[in-house]
């Protein structure tokens, strides 16, 4: 086991200063239009979200439901790519102060090169990565040093089926926060969050060293508040993507969506 | 060189389990238990008996006299087309349904391309009284209609996959998403040597009965258990893995894998993965993969739904990488012509997938005393509409 150097970035600072009701909004880069990425980022910052997760579209998003599948497909048709995203994000830190995470599937990152990807992400001001299909062992064995060198948090997912032992292991390797998937589902599901109460309580009582954020199936203020009762905050993706899908005025629609959650 | 899987689930640089956490408990359970379960005497007894009495094994190894004369060598056809349901796919589904039973699962999901794996899954679910849902690309539902009706008659629900190219890759995505949403009661019966570890190895073991029988049958017929060549088509590569399995370490046996070139390897409409692919991750496995520079998976093309897949099982990526396997690709037209030729030469109408393996006879020069085994992975009934409607296009040339 390697000894982890301490990662300190906007994300870790946020969790030190604010412990409750953190709102993390996910959106797909390059959607609805290719050049909307930065517009949405600015609108989100302005509307007062606590952190932002930018989805890097992938042709075969296994863990995603129809909404994010579709936004990914459109984004790719629009010409989105990792290269393009890094171009869009260059200079972004002149405008955006909240923590930014990149979320995506491993294959495009592998093709870019994991080391180069981590360097570039840090260079444009990204604070952490969420790569759901990057195996935990492989991260520890091959990639954790790239994250550390670039001060990037690596966020792992846990689910209702994750064993207590594995939860502890994941907590040891994670930095930033633990992403608790609310129910057994792909993104954008409509399962009843209340059924997850026992699992949320277990996580809350587990005394994890990392803060906890709950995501998946969270689509309104009621769900958001419920999740926040057990965690530092919650993550909203599909509901936001749906809300801006046909937007003619991104700034307004983003503002209204976020206001509806607070 | 090791050609079988290592304890971490890798074949050389390929394999592994690149899955989101949502799938981890199910995949880990399989990793921990699959070998123990499938080598239990009670499992083996039930498996062997079903292979014999229900599937109809051993399948014949047929000396194809007229074909041998045509190619001036000695060609044997391993008759997987004579398995119940018409293809090798059922060897695997029998194994996996017995495994699902022992894991206490009550609901079965599967993906299918040509519909052969879907039919084989629907069949074992009917046999064992399981709920069965088969995901199939909308394009494949159109081109393999008879198999769709067979699945429905067997009591399975066929759900169309409407994303992407609406073929095998997309059906697999949908099946994986279903599994994420239903982890507790559901077992996913993958139809080829693809997916996260342990699927590639597990499916290869269930299919390995093919080469086990070839060895015995060849010994009896020729006095030697090793042929000079074993030839099989590769979609994901399960029939090939089964036909190669007991020969992997017998270096005197040439292993020939045949991929679908579609309209030509450089036409932009191809499924020739080893030719066009680079290492990448698809459906939880690191393998060769047709993809863009940005790592997006490319939509493949083949006339044969069962070969219309942008990846390849990690065992085959390793056989390619290490040089142990020799890879050929065959166009739609060459496969079509080979199907017509085999029908008239030996009275066997092959599946379009299988026809790719037959067609490669044109590309290899054999010695007169070579012994060549072709794995005849399936029969052509399901492809009759394609054989009828595209005859003019291909056979007038
Ligand atoms: C008859 C037949 N052969 C071959 C294949 C390709 O699969 P694999 O490469 O796993 O053998 C299929 C798949 O549907 C098939 O039906």
């Amino acid at each position: 086991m390697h000894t982890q150097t301490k990662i300190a970035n906007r994300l870790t600072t946020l969790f030190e200063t604010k412990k409750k009701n953190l709102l993390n909004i996910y959106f797909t880069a390059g959607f609805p239009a290719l050049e909307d990425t930065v517009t949405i980022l600015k609108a989100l910052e302005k509307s007062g979200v606590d952190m932002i997760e930018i989805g890097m579209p992938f042709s075969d998003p296994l863990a995603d439901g129809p909404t994010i599948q579709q936004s990914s497909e459109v984004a790719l048709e629009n010409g989105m790519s990792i290269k393009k995203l890094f171009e869009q994000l260059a200079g972004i830190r002149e405008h955006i102060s909240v923590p930014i995470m990149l979320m995506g599937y491993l294959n495009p990152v592998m093709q870019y090169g994991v080391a180069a990807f981590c360097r570039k992400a840090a260079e444009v001001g990204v604070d952490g990565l969420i790569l759901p299909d990057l195996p935990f062992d492989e991260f520890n064995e091959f990639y954790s040093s790239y994250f550390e060198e670039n001060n990037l948090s690596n966020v792992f997912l846990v689910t209702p089926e994750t064993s207590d032992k594995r939860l502890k292991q994941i907590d040891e390797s994670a930095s930033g926060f633990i992403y608790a998937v609310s129910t057994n589902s792909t993104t954008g599901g409509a399962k009843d969050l209340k059924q997850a109460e026992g699992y949320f309580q277990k996580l809350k009582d587990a005394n994890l060293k990392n803060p906890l954020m709950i995501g998946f199936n969270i689509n309104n203020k009621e769900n958001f508040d419920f999740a926040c009762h057990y965690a530092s905050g919650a993550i909203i993706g599909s509901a936001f993507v749906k809300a801006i899908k046909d937007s003619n005025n991104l700034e307004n629609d983003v503002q209204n969506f976020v206001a509806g959650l607070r | 060189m090791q050609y079988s899987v290592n304890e971490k689930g890798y074949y050389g640089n390929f394999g592994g389990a690149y899955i989101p956490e949502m799938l981890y408990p199910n995949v880990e359970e399989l990793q921990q238990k699959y070998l123990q379960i499938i080598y239990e005497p009670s499992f083996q007894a039930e498996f062997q008996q079903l292979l014999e009495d229900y599937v109809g094994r051993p399948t014949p190894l047929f000396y194809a006299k007229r074909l041998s004369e045509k190619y001036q060598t000695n060609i044997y056809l391993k008759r997987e087309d004579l398995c119940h349901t018409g293809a090798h796919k059922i060897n695997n589904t029998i194994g996996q349904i017995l495994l699902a039973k022992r894991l206490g699962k009550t609901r079965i999901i599967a993906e299918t391309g040509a519909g052969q794996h879907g039919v084989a899954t629907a069949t074992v679910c009917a046999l064992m009284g399981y709920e069965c849902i088969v995901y199939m690309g909308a394009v494949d539902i159109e081109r393999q209609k008879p198999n769709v009706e067979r699945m429905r008659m067997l009591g399975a629900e066929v759900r169309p996959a409407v994303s992407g190219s609406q073929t095998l890759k997309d059906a697999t995505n949908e099946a994986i998403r279903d599994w994420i949403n239903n982890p507790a009661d559901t077992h996913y019966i993958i139809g080829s040597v693809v997916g996260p570890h342990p699927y590639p190895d597990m499916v290869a073991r269930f299919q390995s009965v093919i080469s086990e029988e070839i060895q015995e049958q060849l010994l009896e017929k020729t006095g030697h258990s090793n042929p000079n060549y074993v030839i099989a088509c590769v979609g994901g590569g399960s029939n090939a893995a089964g036909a190669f399995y007991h020969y992997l370490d017998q270096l005197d046996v040439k292993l020939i894998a045949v991929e679908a070139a579609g309209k030509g390897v450089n036409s932009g409409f191809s499924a020739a993965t080893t030719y066009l692919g680079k290492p990448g991750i698809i459906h939880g496995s690191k393998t060769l993969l047709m993809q863009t520079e940005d790592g997006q998976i490319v939509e493949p093309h083949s006339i044969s739904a069962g070969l219309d897949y942008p990846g390849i099982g990690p065992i085959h990526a390793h056989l390619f990488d290490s040089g142990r396997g020799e890879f050929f690709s065959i166009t739609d037209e060459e496969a079509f012509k080979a199907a017509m030729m085999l029908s008239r030469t030996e009275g066997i109408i092959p599946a379009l997938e299988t026809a790719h393996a037959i067609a490669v006879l044109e590309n290899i020069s054999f010695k007169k005393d070579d012994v060549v085994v072709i794995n005849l992975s399936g029969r052509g009934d399901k492809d009759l509409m394609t054989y009828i409607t595209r005859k003019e296009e291909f056979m007038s040339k």
Side-chain angles (χ1 to χ4, degrees):
Chain A
M1 227 36 220
H2 72 284
T3 49
Q4 199 165 324
T5 51
K6 193 157 165 53
I7 286 175
N9 54 35
R10 292 172 200 83
L11 198 59
T12 55
T13 308
L14 171 68
F15 283 109
E16 278 159 23
T17 51
K18 188 172 171 187
K19 314 259 181 213
K20 287 309 301 174
N21 297 323
L22 296 175
L23 174 61
N24 182 356
I25 293 280
Y26 165 99
F27 72 97
T28 305
F31 177 86
L34 180 61
E35 299 299 341
D36 286 340
T37 312
V38 174
T39 313
I40 294 170
L41 276 172
K42 288 180 179 168
L44 282 170
E45 164 115 348
K46 196 170 160 203
S47 69
V49 303
D50 297 293
M51 56 181 119
I52 302 171
E53 193 180 314
I54 306 176
M56 302 178 284
F58 181 48
S59 55
D60 294 75
L62 287 182
D64 287 300
T67 301
I68 294 177
Q69 283 175 44
Q70 210 181 32
S71 66
S72 303
E73 202 173 320
V74 172
L76 290 172
E77 276 166 23
N78 289 345
M80 186 39 74
S81 66
I82 289 179
K83 248 193 206 147
K84 179 77 196 167
L85 178 60
F86 282 140
E87 280 167 33
Q88 293 179 339
L89 295 182
I92 198 69
R93 283 303 174 193
E94 291 164 29
H95 311 283
I96 309 287
S97 61
V98 297
I100 296 177
M101 321 274 301
L102 296 182
M103 187 269 169
Y105 292 82
L106 185 56
N107 194 54
V109 174
M110 239 176 76
Q111 302 311 318
Y112 193 94
V114 179
F117 183 89
C118 289
R119 264 198 311 277
K120 191 72 191 173
E123 187 188 309
V124 299
V126 166
D127 302 291
L129 305 182
I130 308 174
L131 302 168
D133 56 349
L134 169 60
F136 170 77
D137 293 339
E138 185 143 329
F139 168 76
N140 282 330
E141 201 170 331
F142 301 112
Y143 300 137
S144 61
S145 59
Y146 303 138
F147 282 67
E148 284 164 20
E149 281 157 30
N150 293 291
N151 227 354
L152 289 172
S153 295
N154 186 33
V155 171
F156 287 106
L157 274 52
V158 301
T159 80
E161 308 289 326
T162 303
S163 70
D164 294 347
K165 180 169 162 232
R166 187 166 165 85
L167 177 63
K168 281 267 175 298
Q169 290 171 337
I170 286 175
D171 190 36
E172 280 306 313
S173 291
S175 52
F177 62 90
I178 301 277
Y179 191 139
V181 175
S182 63
T183 60
N184 297 313
S185 72
T186 41
T187 56
K191 289 189 179 172
D192 183 9
L193 270 200
K194 298 277 180 329
Q195 74 179 43
E197 196 164 357
Y199 154 65
F200 290 168
Q201 190 64 49
K202 182 191 94 171
L203 290 174
K204 189 177 177 178
D205 296 341
N207 277 321
L208 300 174
K209 81 178 177 54
N210 288 283
L212 195 67
M213 296 287 287
I214 295 175
F216 285 44
N217 288 292
I218 298 178
N219 49 12
N220 57 30
K221 178 163 166 50
E222 188 195 342
N223 281 340
F224 178 73
D225 290 344
F226 183 73
C228 286
H229 188 68
Y230 299 93
S232 301
I235 304 161
I236 298 184
S238 297
F240 178 75
V241 171
K242 247 185 224 161
I244 61 163
K245 181 170 166 257
D246 301 310
S247 174
N248 296 318
N249 186 337
L250 279 171
E251 199 162 324
N252 261 349
D253 291 340
V254 170
Q255 194 76 35
N256 288 338
F257 183 87
V258 174
L261 297 164
R262 294 298 203 176
Chain B
M1 181 71 75
Q2 182 185 347
Y3 300 108
S4 52
V5 79
N6 71 18
E7 68 288 349
K8 286 184 156 176
Y10 282 83
Y11 300 86
N13 296 319
F14 302 104
Y18 296 81
I19 48 167
E21 186 65 22
M22 292 81 106
L23 291 174
Y24 183 84
N26 273 332
V27 170
E28 197 211 13
E29 183 182 32
L30 284 174
Q31 288 174 356
Q32 307 263 322
K33 295 185 181 164
Y34 81 111
L35 288 176
Q36 184 201 327
I37 290 177
I38 69 182
Y39 291 107
E40 261 167 29
S42 70
F43 182 101
Q44 279 298 321
E46 207 177 344
F47 183 54
Q48 296 304 339
Q49 176 148 38
L50 283 169
L51 287 185
E52 200 174 309
D53 299 342
Y54 190 70
V55 175
R57 302 207 73 91
T59 58
L61 185 71
F62 172 64
Y63 181 71
K65 188 158 170 291
R66 299 213 320 133
L67 197 64
S68 298
E69 277 164 14
K70 181 173 161 68
Y71 290 101
Q72 293 291 300
T73 190
N74 303 288
I75 301 172
Y76 290 84
L77 302 176
K78 179 59 175 164
R79 298 292 309 276
E80 293 301 296
D81 60 318
L82 295 178
C83 288
H84 179 42
T85 70
H88 68 289
K89 296 284 183 186
I90 196 162
N91 302 326
N92 168 44
T93 61
I94 294 268
Q96 286 204 48
I97 196 80
L98 296 178
L99 179 86
K101 197 165 97 180
R102 281 158 178 81
L103 292 172
K105 303 287 185 177
T106 55
R107 178 177 175 271
I108 297 297
I109 55 172
E111 85 297 338
T112 196
Q116 286 304 117
H117 175 59
V119 167
T121 304
T123 298
V124 298
C125 286
L127 178 69
M128 299 284 175
Y130 272 74
E131 180 187 358
C132 178
I133 291 150
V134 179
Y135 290 90
M136 187 170 190
V139 167
D140 292 338
I141 287 180
E142 271 311 301
R143 61 177 161 173
Q144 307 277 218
K145 275 217 173 94
N147 273 345
V148 176
E149 292 312 321
R150 287 167 83 197
M151 285 185 265
R152 290 186 176 137
M153 187 160 172
L154 291 160
E157 181 190 340
V158 180
R159 290 192 188 161
V162 295
S163 60
S165 54
Q166 310 189 348
T167 59
L168 181 54
K169 155 179 96 75
D170 312 287
T172 308
N173 289 343
E174 286 307 321
I176 291 175
R177 289 180 187 125
D178 181 311
W179 209 20
I180 287 175
N181 282 283
N182 302 284
D185 62 346
T186 300
H187 176 66
Y188 175 20
I189 300 190
I190 293 186
S192 192
V193 287
V194 302
H197 175 64
Y199 277 104
D201 184 52
M202 180 168 72
V203 176
R205 283 173 196 262
F206 289 142
Q207 292 293 359
S208 70
V209 63
I210 299 172
S211 50
E212 193 180 318
E213 289 174 6
I214 294 172
Q215 282 185 318
E216 286 167 21
Q217 292 166 322
L218 262 192
L219 182 64
E220 196 183 300
K221 288 178 200 294
T222 68
H224 301 281
S225 54
N226 286 8
N228 299 91
Y229 294 87
V230 179
I231 302 175
C233 67
V234 175
S238 67
N239 87 87
F244 295 168
Y245 196 86
H246 291 281
Y247 295 117
L248 288 170
D249 296 320
Q250 314 276 313
L251 301 183
D252 56 319
V253 181
K254 292 194 182 72
L255 307 178
I256 308 290
V258 187
E259 296 182 298
K263 297 181 183 178
V265 285
N266 294 316
S267 66
F269 297 91
S270 179
T273 305
T274 57
Y275 188 85
L276 296 167
K278 284 183 303 179
I281 289 163
I282 181 168
H283 299 140
S285 178
K286 187 188 279 183
T287 187
L288 291 170
L289 170 62
M290 291 167 52
Q291 55 186 313
T292 66
E293 208 177 303
D294 187 43
Q296 308 297 337
I297 299 175
V298 164
E299 292 176 4
H301 167 87
S302 168
I303 191 173
S304 112
L307 305 185
D308 202 351
Y309 186 70
I312 184 176
I315 183 173
H316 296 295
H318 182 50
L319 292 178
F320 176 77
D321 206 40
S322 62
R324 175 68 186 95
E326 201 177 337
F327 284 70
F328 288 83
S329 53
I330 289 296
T331 63
D332 292 349
E333 182 180 330
E334 290 167 329
F336 198 98
K337 287 182 165 152
M340 295 297 158
M341 182 277 292
L342 186 72
S343 302
R344 301 209 171 175
T345 310
E346 296 293 348
I348 297 170
I349 299 175
L352 267 167
E353 291 77 15
T354 314
H356 289 72
I358 306 293
V360 89
L361 289 170
E362 294 284 336
N363 298 353
I364 301 174
S365 40
F366 301 103
K367 294 202 202 76
K368 201 151 175 52
D369 57 358
D370 278 345
V371 172
V372 179
V373 174
I374 303 179
N375 194 31
L376 208 87
S377 59
R379 66 179 185 225
D381 309 34
K382 70 184 176 62
D383 296 311
L384 214 55
M385 270 325 283
T386 309
Y387 287 143
I388 294 165
T389 56
R390 302 195 64 181
K391 186 166 178 194
E392 192 131 346
E393 172 189 348
F394 288 122
M395 300 310 287
S396 57
K397 290 182 194 168

Coordinates of all heavy atoms in Angstrom, one line a residue, chain B residues 86-89 112-117 144 147 168 191-194 203 207 233-241 304-307 316 351-354 375-379 382-383, ligand 1:
Chain B
G86 N -29.6 -25.0 -32.9 CA -28.9 -24.7 -34.1 C -27.6 -24.0 -34.1 O -27.1 -23.5 -35.1
A87 N -27.0 -23.9 -32.9 CA -25.7 -23.2 -32.9 C -25.0 -23.6 -31.5 O -25.6 -24.2 -30.6 CB -25.7 -21.7 -33.0
H88 N -23.7 -23.3 -31.5 CA -22.9 -23.6 -30.3 C -23.4 -22.9 -29.0 O -23.0 -23.2 -27.9 CB -21.5 -23.3 -30.5 CG -21.3 -21.8 -30.7 ND1 -21.7 -21.0 -31.8 CD2 -20.7 -20.9 -29.9 CE1 -21.4 -19.8 -31.6 NE2 -20.8 -19.6 -30.5
K89 N -24.1 -21.8 -29.2 CA -24.5 -20.9 -28.1 C -25.1 -21.6 -26.9 O -24.9 -21.2 -25.8 CB -25.4 -19.8 -28.6 CG -24.9 -18.9 -29.7 CD -23.9 -17.9 -29.1 CE -23.3 -16.9 -30.1 NZ -22.3 -16.0 -29.6
T112 N -28.5 -10.3 -27.5 CA -28.3 -11.2 -28.6 C -28.1 -10.4 -29.9 O -28.6 -9.2 -30.0 CB -29.5 -12.2 -28.8 OG1 -29.1 -13.2 -29.7 CG2 -30.7 -11.5 -29.4
G113 N -27.3 -10.9 -30.8 CA -27.1 -10.3 -32.1 C -27.9 -11.0 -33.2 O -28.9 -10.6 -33.6
A114 N -27.4 -12.2 -33.5 CA -28.0 -13.0 -34.5 C -29.3 -13.6 -34.0 O -30.1 -14.1 -34.7 CB -27.1 -14.1 -35.0
G115 N -29.5 -13.6 -32.7 CA -30.7 -14.2 -32.1 C -30.4 -15.6 -31.6 O -31.2 -16.2 -30.9
Q116 N -29.2 -16.1 -32.0 CA -28.9 -17.5 -31.6 C -28.7 -17.6 -30.1 O -29.2 -18.5 -29.4 CB -27.7 -18.0 -32.3 CG -27.9 -18.4 -33.8 CD -29.0 -19.4 -34.0 OE1 -30.1 -19.1 -34.6 NE2 -28.9 -20.6 -33.4
H117 N -28.0 -16.7 -29.6 CA -27.8 -16.7 -28.1 C -29.1 -16.4 -27.4 O -29.4 -16.9 -26.3 CB -26.7 -15.7 -27.7 CG -26.5 -15.6 -26.2 ND1 -26.2 -16.6 -25.4 CD2 -26.7 -14.5 -25.4 CE1 -26.2 -16.3 -24.2 NE2 -26.5 -15.0 -24.1
Q144 N -33.2 -10.7 -38.3 CA -33.2 -12.1 -37.8 C -34.6 -12.4 -37.2 O -34.7 -13.0 -36.1 CB -32.1 -12.2 -36.7 CG -30.8 -11.8 -37.1 CD -30.0 -12.8 -37.9 OE1 -28.8 -13.0 -37.8 NE2 -30.6 -13.6 -38.8
N147 N -35.7 -15.8 -35.5 CA -35.2 -16.0 -34.1 C -36.0 -15.2 -33.1 O -36.2 -15.6 -32.0 CB -33.7 -15.7 -34.0 CG -32.9 -16.9 -34.4 OD1 -33.4 -18.0 -34.5 ND2 -31.6 -16.7 -34.6
L168 N -25.6 -5.5 -31.9 CA -25.2 -6.3 -30.7 C -24.5 -5.4 -29.6 O -24.8 -5.7 -28.4 CB -24.2 -7.3 -31.2 CG -23.6 -8.3 -30.2 CD1 -24.7 -9.0 -29.4 CD2 -22.7 -9.3 -30.9
G191 N -23.4 -13.9 -23.9 CA -23.4 -14.9 -25.0 C -22.1 -15.1 -25.6 O -22.0 -16.0 -26.5
S192 N -21.0 -14.4 -25.2 CA -19.7 -14.7 -25.9 C -18.6 -14.5 -24.9 O -18.9 -14.2 -23.7 CB -19.5 -13.8 -27.1 OG -18.4 -14.3 -27.9
V193 N -17.4 -14.7 -25.3 CA -16.2 -14.6 -24.4 C -15.8 -13.1 -24.2 O -14.7 -12.7 -24.4 CB -15.0 -15.4 -24.9 CG1 -15.3 -16.9 -24.7 CG2 -14.7 -15.1 -26.3
V194 N -16.8 -12.3 -23.9 CA -16.6 -10.9 -23.7 C -17.1 -10.5 -22.3 O -17.6 -11.3 -21.6 CB -17.4 -10.0 -24.8 CG1 -16.9 -10.4 -26.2 CG2 -18.9 -10.2 -24.7
V203 N -17.3 -18.5 -20.1 CA -17.9 -18.9 -21.3 C -17.0 -19.8 -22.1 O -17.4 -20.8 -22.7 CB -18.3 -17.6 -22.1 CG1 -18.9 -18.0 -23.5 CG2 -19.3 -16.8 -21.4
Q207 N -17.7 -23.6 -23.4 CA -17.6 -23.9 -24.9 C -16.5 -24.9 -25.2 O -16.4 -25.4 -26.3 CB -17.4 -22.6 -25.7 CG -18.6 -21.7 -25.7 CD -19.8 -22.3 -26.5 OE1 -19.8 -23.4 -27.0 NE2 -20.9 -21.5 -26.5
C233 N -15.0 -18.7 -36.9 CA -15.3 -17.3 -37.1 C -15.3 -16.6 -35.7 O -15.4 -17.3 -34.7 CB -16.7 -17.1 -37.7 SG -18.1 -17.7 -36.8
V234 N -15.1 -15.3 -35.7 CA -15.0 -14.6 -34.4 C -15.9 -13.4 -34.4 O -15.7 -12.5 -35.2 CB -13.6 -14.1 -34.1 CG1 -13.6 -13.3 -32.8 CG2 -12.7 -15.3 -33.9
G235 N -17.0 -13.4 -33.6 CA -17.7 -12.2 -33.3 C -17.2 -11.6 -32.0 O -16.2 -10.8 -32.0
G236 N -17.7 -12.1 -30.9 CA -17.0 -12.0 -29.6 C -16.0 -13.0 -29.5 O -14.9 -12.8 -28.9
G237 N -16.2 -14.2 -30.1 CA -15.3 -15.3 -30.1 C -15.5 -16.5 -29.3 O -14.6 -17.2 -28.9
S238 N -16.8 -16.8 -29.0 CA -17.0 -17.9 -28.1 C -16.9 -19.3 -28.8 O -16.4 -20.2 -28.2 CB -18.4 -17.8 -27.4 OG -19.5 -17.9 -28.3
N239 N -17.4 -19.3 -30.1 CA -17.2 -20.6 -30.7 C -15.7 -20.9 -31.0 O -15.3 -22.0 -30.9 CB -18.1 -20.8 -32.0 CG -17.5 -20.2 -33.2 OD1 -16.9 -20.9 -34.0 ND2 -17.8 -18.9 -33.5
A240 N -15.0 -19.8 -31.4 CA -13.6 -19.9 -31.6 C -12.9 -20.3 -30.3 O -12.0 -21.2 -30.3 CB -13.0 -18.6 -32.2
A241 N -13.2 -19.7 -29.2 CA -12.5 -20.0 -28.0 C -12.8 -21.5 -27.6 O -11.9 -22.2 -27.1 CB -13.0 -19.1 -26.8
S304 N -23.5 -10.2 -41.2 CA -23.9 -11.2 -40.2 C -24.1 -10.6 -38.8 O -23.1 -10.0 -38.3 CB -22.9 -12.4 -40.1 OG -22.2 -12.4 -39.0
A305 N -25.3 -10.6 -38.3 CA -25.6 -9.9 -37.0 C -24.7 -10.4 -35.9 O -24.3 -9.7 -35.0 CB -27.0 -10.1 -36.6
G306 N -24.3 -11.7 -35.9 CA -23.5 -12.3 -34.8 C -22.0 -11.8 -34.8 O -21.3 -12.0 -33.9
L307 N -21.6 -11.3 -35.9 CA -20.2 -10.8 -36.0 C -20.1 -9.3 -36.0 O -19.0 -8.7 -36.1 CB -19.5 -11.3 -37.3 CG -19.5 -12.8 -37.5 CD1 -18.7 -13.2 -38.8 CD2 -19.0 -13.6 -36.3
H316 N -8.9 -13.5 -27.5 CA -8.5 -13.4 -28.9 C -7.6 -12.2 -29.1 O -6.7 -12.2 -30.0 CB -9.8 -13.3 -29.8 CG -10.6 -14.5 -29.7 ND1 -10.1 -15.7 -30.2 CD2 -11.8 -14.8 -29.2 CE1 -11.1 -16.7 -29.9 NE2 -12.1 -16.1 -29.4
A351 N -24.9 -20.9 -41.0 CA -25.2 -19.5 -40.6 C -24.3 -18.5 -41.3 O -23.2 -18.9 -41.7 CB -25.1 -19.4 -39.1
L352 N -24.7 -17.3 -41.5 CA -23.8 -16.3 -42.1 C -22.5 -16.1 -41.4 O -21.5 -15.9 -41.9 CB -24.6 -15.0 -42.2 CG -25.3 -14.8 -43.6 CD1 -26.3 -13.6 -43.4 CD2 -24.3 -14.5 -44.7
E353 N -22.6 -16.2 -40.0 CA -21.4 -16.1 -39.2 C -20.4 -17.2 -39.6 O -19.3 -16.9 -40.0 CB -21.7 -16.2 -37.7 CG -22.5 -15.1 -37.1 CD -24.0 -15.1 -37.5 OE1 -24.5 -16.2 -38.0 OE2 -24.7 -14.1 -37.3
T354 N -20.9 -18.4 -39.6 CA -20.1 -19.6 -39.9 C -19.5 -19.5 -41.3 O -18.4 -19.9 -41.6 CB -21.0 -20.8 -39.8 OG1 -21.7 -20.8 -38.6 CG2 -20.1 -22.1 -39.8
N375 N -14.9 -25.1 -37.4 CA -16.0 -25.2 -36.5 C -17.2 -24.6 -37.1 O -17.3 -23.4 -37.4 CB -15.6 -24.4 -35.2 CG -16.6 -24.7 -34.1 OD1 -17.1 -25.8 -34.0 ND2 -16.9 -23.7 -33.2
L376 N -18.1 -25.5 -37.4 CA -19.4 -25.1 -38.1 C -20.3 -24.6 -37.0 O -21.2 -25.4 -36.6 CB -19.9 -26.3 -38.9 CG -20.8 -25.9 -40.1 CD1 -19.9 -25.7 -41.3 CD2 -21.9 -26.9 -40.4
S377 N -20.2 -23.4 -36.7 CA -20.8 -22.9 -35.4 C -22.3 -22.9 -35.4 O -23.0 -23.0 -34.4 CB -20.3 -21.5 -35.1 OG -20.6 -20.6 -36.2
G378 N -23.0 -22.7 -36.6 CA -24.4 -22.7 -36.6 C -25.0 -22.9 -38.0 O -24.4 -22.8 -39.0
R379 N -26.3 -23.2 -38.0 CA -27.0 -23.5 -39.2 C -27.7 -22.2 -39.7 O -27.9 -21.3 -39.0 CB -28.0 -24.6 -39.0 CG -29.1 -24.3 -38.1 CD -30.1 -25.5 -38.0 NE -31.2 -25.1 -37.2 CZ -31.8 -25.9 -36.3 NH1 -31.2 -27.1 -35.9 NH2 -32.8 -25.5 -35.6
K382 N -31.9 -19.3 -39.8 CA -32.2 -17.9 -39.4 C -31.9 -16.9 -40.5 O -32.4 -15.7 -40.4 CB -31.5 -17.6 -38.1 CG -30.0 -17.4 -38.3 CD -29.2 -17.2 -37.1 CE -27.7 -17.1 -37.3 NZ -27.3 -16.0 -38.2
D383 N -31.0 -17.2 -41.4 CA -30.5 -16.3 -42.4 C -31.2 -16.4 -43.7 O -30.8 -15.8 -44.7 CB -29.0 -16.4 -42.6 CG -28.2 -16.1 -41.3 OD1 -28.5 -15.0 -40.8 OD2 -27.4 -16.9 -40.9
Ligands
LIG1 C1 -23.8 -19.4 -35.6 C2 -23.0 -18.4 -35.0 N1 -21.7 -18.4 -35.1 C3 -20.9 -17.5 -34.5 C4 -21.4 -16.4 -33.8 C5 -20.5 -15.4 -33.2 O1 -20.4 -15.5 -31.9 P1 -19.0 -16.0 -31.2 O2 -17.9 -15.3 -31.9 O3 -19.1 -15.7 -29.8 O4 -18.9 -17.5 -31.5 C6 -22.8 -16.4 -33.6 C7 -23.4 -15.3 -32.9 O5 -24.6 -15.0 -32.8 C8 -23.6 -17.4 -34.2 O6 -25.0 -17.4 -34.1

